[in-house]
Amino acid sequence: MNRTAIYPGTFDPITLGHVDVVRRGLKVFDRVVIGVAENPNKKPMFDLDTRLAMVRQTFVADDRIEAVAFSGLLIDLARQQKANAILRGLRAASDFEYEFQMATMNRRLEEKIETVFVMAREDYTFVSSRFIREISSMGGDVSELVPQVVMPFLKR
Ligand code: ADP
């Protein structure tokens, strides 16, 4: 049986915390499809094509991982990709409220697709795309917190 999970997010930009979630997901799923959300209301720093390119370059060597852009309902993307599950990461209790609401809402929309959470690795619990953007824009070194391929994009 081919088990596929959709891992949705903004990935503005992808961090090593996200990479860790994908790696953990692959212990349970055969294939992980990363759904890069357009999310115009979040006013991302990187445009959709750039966010997608960074994710694709990060996982170029692993054919169990794919990345697609999406702008509609997550559950429609999951159906289209024949996914059994939605994969999300949890860092702290502060993530819980939002994740709980989203998982419950998605379950209302599609009973068959389960949301599965993995816990952040201890050394990445504090890593978020937002802090990467802020620290990097003020000249701080984030090279140990993002995939190597992201660094040239941050410098631009
Ligand atoms: P969104 O806009 O949907 O929150 P993000 O790209 O910020 O998108 O995050 C996508 C998912 O990855 C979320 O479930 C988030 O909790 C999780 N995540 C983000 N950073 C980390 C991290 N450092 N460790 C574990 N999970 C993380």
Side-chain angles (χ1 to χ4, degrees), residues 1-7 22 25-26 28-34 62-66 68 78 80-85 87:
M1 196 166 161
N2 197 8
R3 295 207 161 263
T4 298
I6 296 281
Y7 178 31
V22 173
L26 282 172
V28 188
F29 297 99
D30 303 304
R31 183 170 155 254
V32 172
V33 178
I34 301 172
D62 195 332
D63 59 12
R64 297 170 302 169
I65 306 162
E66 277 168 53
V68 294
Q80 186 196 320
Q81 292 287 333
K82 303 203 183 336
N84 320 78
L87 176 66

Side-chain angles (χ1 to χ4, degrees), residues 15-31:
T15 71
L16 290 183
H18 294 128
V19 173
D20 183 54
V21 170
V22 173
R23 298 265 168 243
R24 286 176 200 286
L26 282 172
K27 293 180 181 172
V28 188
F29 297 99
D30 303 304
R31 183 170 155 254

Side-chain angles (χ1 to χ4, degrees), residues 7-22 24 35 37 39 42 51 70 87-92 95-96 98-99 102 116-130 133 145:
Y7 178 31
T10 314
F11 303 102
D12 187 33
I14 183 168
T15 71
L16 290 183
H18 294 128
V19 173
D20 183 54
V21 170
V22 173
R24 286 176 200 286
N39 254 346
K42 271 201 166 181
R51 286 181 278 134
F70 79 105
L87 176 66
R88 295 284 287 180
L90 284 176
R91 284 162 292 194
D95 281 339
F96 178 81
Y98 174 71
E99 295 293 340
M102 196 166 82
V116 173
F117 294 96
V118 295
M119 302 298 157
R121 199 174 123 155
E122 316 79 79
D123 21 350
Y124 298 142
T125 46
F126 64 95
V127 178
S128 68
S129 298
R130 189 178 138 219
R133 293 193 302 271
L145 306 174

Side-chain angles (χ1 to χ4, degrees), residues 45-46 50 53-54 57 136-137 149-156:
M45 177 167 104
F46 294 103
T50 308
M54 289 186 285
Q57 286 179 30
S136 159
S137 67
V149 297
V150 170
M151 290 308 293
F153 290 93
L154 284 171
K155 282 175 187 149
R156 247 171 249 169

